[in-house]
Amino acid sequence: MIRQFELVERVHSYDPDADEDMLNRAYVYGLKKHGTQLRASGDPYFSHPVEVAGILAEMRLDTSSIVTGLLHDTLEDTDATREELARLFGEEIAKLVDGVTKLSRLEVQSETTKEAENLRKLVLAMSTDIRVLLVKLADRLHNMRTLQHIKEPARRRRIARETMDLYAPLASRIGMERVKRELEELAFAELNPDGRASVQARLGYLREKGEQIVPQIEAELTRTLKDGGLDAQVSGREKTPYSIWRKMQQKNVSFEQLADIMAFRIIVADTAQCYQALGLLHGRYQMLPQRFKDYISVPKPNGYRSLHTGVIGPHGQRIEIQIRTAEMAEQAERGVAAHWIYKQGGPSTDAPQYAWLRSLMDILDKAPDAAEFLEHTKLEMFQDQVFCFTPKGKLISLPRGATPIDFAYAVHSQVGDTCVGAKINGRMLPLRTQLQNGDQIEIVTSKAQTPSPTWERFVVTGKAKAAIRRFIRVRQREQYLQLGRSLLDKTFHEEGYEVTDKGLEGVKANFKQASVDDLIANVGAGLTGSREVLTAVYPGLKQPRKQGGADIVPISRARSKAGKAREAAKKDNGQRQIALTGLIPGMAVHFARCCHPLPGDRIVGIITTGKGVTIHTIDCATLESFSDTPERWIDVGWDSVSDSGGGAYTGRLKITVSNQPGSLSSLSTVIARHEGNISNLRIVNRSMDFFDMVIDVEVADVKHLADITAALRATPAINAVERARN
């Protein structure tokens, strides 16, 4: 364990103005508070905070950070309070310690929830002071160094997995490559010891076989640069076992096929010499295609700058070369800690390299619970980057596989919500197009646009997913409220009552709902029956009779026979009809895929648990399966906008086409001429003479589909047409 005077001397070695008195007081306070507590290794518990402080001193951080490291577990594991820390060490220290403290006192349902809640608090804390993250990384690094002392294998693997998925990417995001590499190696050793041992064995074999290769390559690279007039420092190193393993997995290649197991670093005096060195090396050695990356002109989001290239170098070896200045090298290894300026006010989290942190704050704003926040955060943190530009030249970094929707949300949430199209390098392309490095994106917006649920299928950033899901939840709730109110109005009206908020307020607790709106939305979602609410409000009301196991409810019922449906409609002319246009499919109201109802069809609604209402045509065979649950049936109709064909609906046709040249062309021409649009086509049977196919056609209403059907029947190449059912 680092002794008190040793820690003070370490800090004074790089910061002569450090507050020695505060360091001493924090050391003594932490030692006293942790007292006789022991770690899993049997060492005094206080050895952990001291080692964390030592790691922070290696990062050359300020006094407040070192003191926070000494005290970071006092709130969680001792009787210390935040007020006491503020009184003894100041509000700044108390705030930092509280930000690092885990939420172990919370009652949580699972380890995943606990992990998510801890991350949520960490993001909130480090959004105002990045030192919280630095202390947390030092804490995790020491815990990983002593992981072997934990006896339970499952717990060790959970900690290692959390480190690999969250803390190593977080270290990378602030440019602390040295910390990131060590975290990855320690986690890799726990998660895949066999894989690590295999890579190490092969690296050992290479060392024995080519013991002199690295010094020889270093000498030749140095000579090449010196001949060109450059005085440079050249050093070579092996890549870590985990980075080698990850490349083998990503590229699906064997160890022997990797081209960059050895990496050489060239340090020069200034930026101009970086490009001069690159020119000398490319002039001397054959460059490997697609291996050149200029992170000086376009730095990584964490501020990393360097030139990367791959060449077939001395002795025919494939090698990776990194060219940078000493300042860039320091930044690459130590990240945000390399230019610590807290004595002058500290680095601001508004800087460009913290855009990712602002994205996490947006996700935190939009995620409904900790588990979804954790999912979106992992998406945001743990992906390779592509770099794209706005029309004004602003650089936007996104995960690989990102689309224009991701780009729009990265620019601003409002731009994402109102996106209707995108120009990529001057060409209008689909919103699901994957972006490439260097693309220039212009987003086309419209005030009338809202996020589409289908976007969630192809966006990859956590920020975009969180925003789309939030919009869907809000719109879904609106739909559930509208439907729930309609169902309650109908059920109460049939018994001669009127539904009131006062009546619902009195029974909301019976259904474990916090508000009247929550109760109504639950009815709309099919999770609570409207009849249950009625009997709760009026307990003296007689229950419906039973017959054959099914409730006999005194309401009009739609049935799968057209006659019964007409009867039901006549018996309840006063029912409020549901407006079907303008709804988002798949939310509170959606159309059945078995019968594809169209405006003009006679329809009926079926309440589906968790989805709201599914709309079927009255002759749909699927309705027979609901005959024993009449309480789930609801009479619906098309509003005046729907009847006028104000939207695009899918009608399905079964068509038999002659197997001859031009048949499909004739079919598509007829449909297009009648303003229909083929959205899907599937051949279900083919023979020498005929093709049987099923076609989905976008139409305005049932009359529109009938016109297209009639035109198809008059086409010589088409033998039979009928509307597909079920």
Side-chain angles (χ1 to χ4, degrees):
M1 185 169 78
I2 303 173
R3 288 177 291 182
Q4 185 174 341
F5 76 90
E6 290 176 334
L7 179 63
V8 174
E9 284 180 357
R10 286 191 191 183
V11 178
H12 271 308
S13 68
Y14 64 86
D15 185 6
D17 299 326
D19 189 338
E20 183 176 341
D21 176 61
M22 182 180 284
L23 288 169
N24 286 323
R25 286 190 292 112
Y27 193 103
V28 173
Y29 180 86
L31 181 62
K32 179 182 175 183
K33 283 295 181 182
H34 287 291
T36 58
Q37 294 174 350
L38 298 177
R39 302 200 81 211
S41 62
D43 295 331
Y45 190 90
F46 187 59
S47 65
H48 168 64
V50 171
E51 291 298 330
V52 170
I55 293 171
L56 294 169
E58 289 175 10
M59 296 179 187
R60 303 167 68 87
L61 297 186
D62 63 323
T63 303
S64 295
S65 300
I66 309 298
V67 171
T68 302
L70 288 168
L71 305 176
H72 77 273
D73 275 338
T74 53
L75 290 182
E76 180 182 348
D77 295 324
T78 76
D79 61 358
T81 63
R82 190 187 188 286
E83 292 71 23
E84 184 180 14
L85 292 180
R87 178 170 52 82
L88 294 175
F89 302 100
E91 180 59 30
E92 180 187 27
I93 300 296
K95 185 178 178 182
L96 287 170
V97 173
D98 186 53
V100 178
T101 300
K102 296 177 185 175
L103 305 185
S104 58
R105 295 192 181 101
L106 283 182
E107 293 181 8
V108 291
Q109 298 175 348
S110 67
E111 284 297 338
T112 301
T113 309
K114 185 175 181 179
E115 178 188 358
E117 289 289 358
N118 285 332
L119 180 65
R120 183 195 285 260
K121 184 173 183 183
L122 175 63
V123 168
L124 281 171
M126 71 187 186
S127 66
T128 56
D129 197 327
I130 202 69
R131 288 177 294 181
V132 170
L133 176 55
L134 295 174
V135 177
K136 188 69 179 174
L137 289 174
D139 173 41
R140 178 51 61 112
L141 182 56
H142 185 253
N143 282 332
M144 289 301 296
R145 287 173 178 175
T146 57
L147 187 65
Q148 71 275 12
H149 296 297
I150 295 176
K151 294 179 181 178
E152 304 91 338
R155 188 178 167 210
R156 288 200 307 270
R157 288 186 64 82
R158 180 186 62 77
I159 294 171
R161 175 52 59 193
E162 183 183 66
T163 299
M164 189 72 86
D165 286 353
L166 288 175
Y167 289 100
L170 280 169
S172 179
R173 284 291 183 154
I174 58 174
M176 303 187 70
E177 287 300 308
R178 189 181 301 165
V179 173
K180 174 206 167 192
R181 284 197 300 269
E182 186 173 356
L183 287 174
E184 285 179 339
E185 283 306 305
L186 292 167
F188 184 44
E190 178 62 40
L191 296 172
N192 194 346
D194 293 339
R196 187 169 186 269
S198 172
V199 174
Q200 284 183 314
R202 296 185 188 190
L203 284 173
Y205 173 74
L206 279 183
R207 287 191 207 107
E208 293 176 11
K209 186 178 177 182
E211 196 171 345
Q212 300 302 318
I213 286 289
V214 172
Q216 289 173 7
I217 294 176
E218 287 178 359
E220 185 166 332
L221 291 177
T222 302
R223 189 163 51 251
T224 299
L225 295 172
K226 193 169 185 179
D227 291 345
L230 274 184
D231 185 16
Q233 299 174 20
V234 181
S235 59
R237 64 173 180 85
E238 290 173 348
K239 293 208 167 182
T240 62
Y242 176 69
S243 66
I244 292 172
W245 175 265
R246 184 174 59 190
K247 285 211 170 184
M248 288 167 61
Q249 302 302 309
Q250 287 175 344
K251 297 184 178 182
N252 195 25
V253 296
S254 66
F255 183 89
E256 291 73 19
Q257 291 173 293
L258 286 178
D260 51 3
I261 292 171
M262 289 186 295
F264 290 83
R265 187 167 299 158
I266 296 174
I267 307 295
V268 293
D270 54 40
T271 301
Q273 288 189 4
C274 289
Y275 290 100
Q276 185 181 350
L278 178 71
L280 291 170
L281 293 172
H282 281 186
R284 174 72 174 79
Y285 305 109
Q286 183 180 344
M287 174 192 170
L288 295 171
Q290 299 181 339
R291 298 307 304 273
F292 171 64
K293 295 173 184 174
D294 187 345
Y295 293 122
I296 294 179
S297 176
V298 184
K300 287 187 177 183
N302 60 16
Y304 174 91
R305 292 177 300 151
S306 181
L307 296 177
H308 289 199
T309 188
V311 299
I312 299 178
H315 307 286
Q317 293 284 332
R318 289 185 169 198
I319 56 174
E320 178 185 292
I321 299 175
Q322 301 165 355
I323 309 169
R324 58 185 70 155
T325 65
E327 180 190 354
M328 294 175 192
E330 181 79 354
Q331 168 74 24
E333 289 299 309
R334 298 179 54 225
V336 67
H339 45 76
W340 201 256
I341 50 170
Y342 255 95
K343 285 177 286 185
Q344 287 78 38
S348 169
T349 53
D350 292 330
Q353 60 264 41
Y354 296 114
W356 60 273
L357 185 52
R358 294 192 291 277
S359 291
L360 293 191
M361 292 301 297
D362 285 342
I363 293 171
L364 188 59
D365 239 9
K366 295 178 173 65
D369 53 51
E372 189 169 308
F373 171 62
L374 180 63
E375 174 198 342
H376 293 157
T377 299
K378 287 182 177 180
L379 280 174
E380 198 73 17
M381 296 302 303
F382 203 52
Q383 297 191 37
D384 293 335
Q385 302 288 301
V386 294
F387 301 96
C388 302
F389 297 89
T390 66
K392 293 183 179 179
K394 180 183 176 183
L395 177 68
I396 304 285
S397 63
L398 295 164
R400 193 162 297 282
T403 64
I405 296 293
D406 294 297
F407 182 92
Y409 277 107
V411 172
H412 195 280
S413 294
Q414 189 174 358
V415 176
D417 287 344
T418 56
C419 174
V420 293
K423 288 183 179 180
I424 302 177
N425 301 323
R427 293 176 54 213
M428 285 296 294
L429 290 172
L431 291 176
R432 62 174 61 246
T433 304
Q434 291 193 2
L435 303 179
Q436 304 297 321
N437 270 321
D439 283 347
Q440 185 184 73
I441 319 298
E442 180 183 347
I443 299 297
V444 182
T445 61
S446 167
K447 291 181 179 179
Q449 173 71 334
T450 56
S452 167
T454 59
W455 289 356
E456 194 184 343
R457 299 175 193 164
F458 54 80
V459 297
V460 299
T461 58
K463 182 177 180 180
K465 281 185 180 290
I468 294 164
R469 287 184 181 179
R470 182 187 189 187
F471 176 82
I472 291 173
R473 282 193 301 273
V474 171
R475 178 62 64 89
Q476 186 180 51
R477 181 173 172 82
E478 291 172 0
Q479 301 294 335
Y480 284 163
L481 282 169
Q482 179 184 346
L483 178 60
R485 179 69 70 175
S486 176
L487 290 170
L488 289 169
D489 279 350
K490 176 180 175 178
T491 302
F492 276 66
H493 178 73
E494 286 167 349
E495 294 292 344
Y497 297 104
E498 184 177 348
V499 62
T500 63
D501 285 353
K502 183 178 179 181
L504 297 179
E505 182 73 35
V507 300
K508 68 182 182 185
N510 299 16
F511 300 95
K512 299 180 180 178
Q513 299 301 316
S515 67
V516 169
D517 279 355
D518 288 342
L519 177 57
I520 295 172
N522 237 34
V523 173
L527 301 174
T528 301
S530 57
R531 183 83 192 180
E532 294 175 59
V533 178
L534 174 66
T535 53
V537 176
Y538 299 103
L541 198 65
K542 291 182 180 180
Q543 292 293 325
R545 301 188 311 276
K546 296 271 185 177
Q547 181 177 349
D551 288 349
I552 303 300
V553 185
I555 62 173
S556 59
R557 296 188 184 96
R559 282 290 186 265
S560 59
K561 302 294 182 184
K564 291 184 178 179
R566 292 190 195 97
E567 260 181 57
K570 288 177 183 175
K571 287 170 72 175
D572 196 17
N573 286 331
Q575 179 196 347
R576 184 167 68 188
Q577 298 295 304
I578 298 176
L580 297 176
T581 57
L583 298 179
I584 298 178
M587 297 179 71
V589 178
H590 66 281
F591 302 111
R593 293 177 180 272
C594 49
C595 53
H596 292 281
L598 299 172
D601 284 328
R602 296 304 305 272
I603 53 175
V604 65
I606 299 294
I607 299 173
T608 308
T609 302
K611 288 187 178 180
V613 169
T614 304
I615 307 300
H616 294 263
T617 59
I618 56 173
D619 55 352
C620 178
T622 306
L623 295 177
E624 294 293 348
S625 61
F626 301 105
S627 59
D628 291 335
T629 53
E631 66 276 9
R632 295 175 62 181
W633 293 59
I634 179 170
D635 296 326
V636 294
W638 303 97
D639 69 0
S640 58
V641 177
S642 294
D643 291 338
S644 67
Y649 299 84
T650 300
R652 178 164 288 180
L653 297 174
K654 283 174 62 178
I655 302 177
T656 303
V657 181
S658 298
N659 185 4
Q660 62 187 38
S663 294
L664 286 179
S665 174
S666 299
L667 182 148
S668 59
T669 299
V670 169
I671 293 175
R673 189 180 298 132
H674 286 78
E675 299 182 348
N677 180 51
I678 298 175
S679 59
N680 192 29
L681 184 151
R682 179 166 55 94
I683 296 175
V684 295
N685 185 36
R686 67 179 71 205
S687 65
M688 291 290 293
D689 300 318
F690 300 103
F691 284 173
D692 293 327
M693 58 183 65
V694 174
I695 295 182
D696 290 345
V697 184
E698 290 180 0
V699 294
D701 51 29
V702 70
K703 182 179 181 301
H704 188 186
L705 184 66
D707 291 343
I708 291 174
T709 302
L712 289 171
R713 285 173 178 158
T715 304
I718 296 173
N719 293 70
V721 185
E722 62 180 4
R723 188 171 175 185
R725 301 287 188 180
N726 304 296

